[in-house]
Amino acid sequence: MAAVTIRVATADDAALILRLIRELAIYEKAESSVQTDEAGIRASLFGPEAKAHALICEADGVAIGYAVYFYNYSTWLGRNGIYLEDLYVSPERRGSGAGKALLQHIARIAVAEGCGRFEWSVLDWNEPAIQFYQAAGAKPQSEWTVYRMEGEALRTFAEG
């Protein structure tokens, strides 16, 4: 297996990131949920108002995965944290250490920046991911339930 490297993504990676997002969505049985396009990725990750960050994982100069993360805040800790939105490695490259390298890279960022937490969500049926995260030392937060408001429900609620 080739050694993996992690690099900060650039605007030139927008098409690559979108392709990997679509691969992830297929894996998660939610391909139709991807509503963005290359311009949306470029604007949201690399535009002047970007709030999220992306990393590319490569082996022998070929992209094999990516991660997207952003900063959140804990009032209880009084410190920022990092939320991992996506971590994805192409199926044929799983087991190469790429996922662990991406996760550790972001953990190092969190530690270097004094973040109090590093957290993410995982689908309850994704047993390989659950085992991977638990082997890394992560613990599920079963007492919390994620709520989401989007689309028309979000617009309706915002309008009051």
Side-chain angles (χ1 to χ4, degrees), residues 86-142:
D86 284 355
L87 182 128
Y88 177 76
V89 175
S90 296
E92 65 276 5
R93 299 312 292 259
R94 291 183 189 150
S96 67
K100 183 177 180 181
L102 281 163
L103 200 64
Q104 283 182 315
H105 187 94
I106 300 169
R108 287 184 194 110
I109 293 169
V111 170
E113 296 188 9
C115 293
R117 293 181 178 156
F118 177 24
E119 54 195 357
W120 56 90
S121 298
V122 61
L123 291 165
D124 60 3
W125 57 260
N126 193 346
E127 195 58 37
I130 291 167
Q131 290 177 13
F132 169 72
Y133 294 134
Q134 288 179 340
K139 304 221 180 320
Q141 301 297 297
S142 58

Side-chain angles (χ1 to χ4, degrees), residues 21-92:
I21 288 169
R22 287 187 175 132
E23 283 184 27
L24 173 59
I26 290 167
Y27 175 75
E28 292 185 347
K29 303 171 180 69
E31 184 177 11
S32 63
S33 295
V34 177
Q35 298 177 21
T36 193
D37 58 14
E38 189 176 331
I41 296 299
R42 185 172 278 111
S44 63
L45 287 177
F46 308 107
E49 302 296 318
K51 305 284 192 269
H53 307 275
L55 302 169
I56 302 295
C57 183
E58 297 177 329
D60 292 328
V62 175
I64 62 170
Y66 80 104
V68 172
Y69 67 95
F70 57 89
Y71 293 88
N72 56 17
Y73 183 78
S74 168
T75 55
W76 290 4
L77 297 177
R79 294 170 34 188
N80 286 328
I82 289 183
Y83 187 85
L84 177 63
E85 178 64 22
D86 284 355
L87 182 128
Y88 177 76
V89 175
S90 296
E92 65 276 5

Side-chain angles (χ1 to χ4, degrees), residues 149-160:
M149 192 180 295
E150 63 185 349
E152 190 56 37
L154 175 60
R155 285 185 289 280
T156 299
F157 185 74
E159 292 169 4

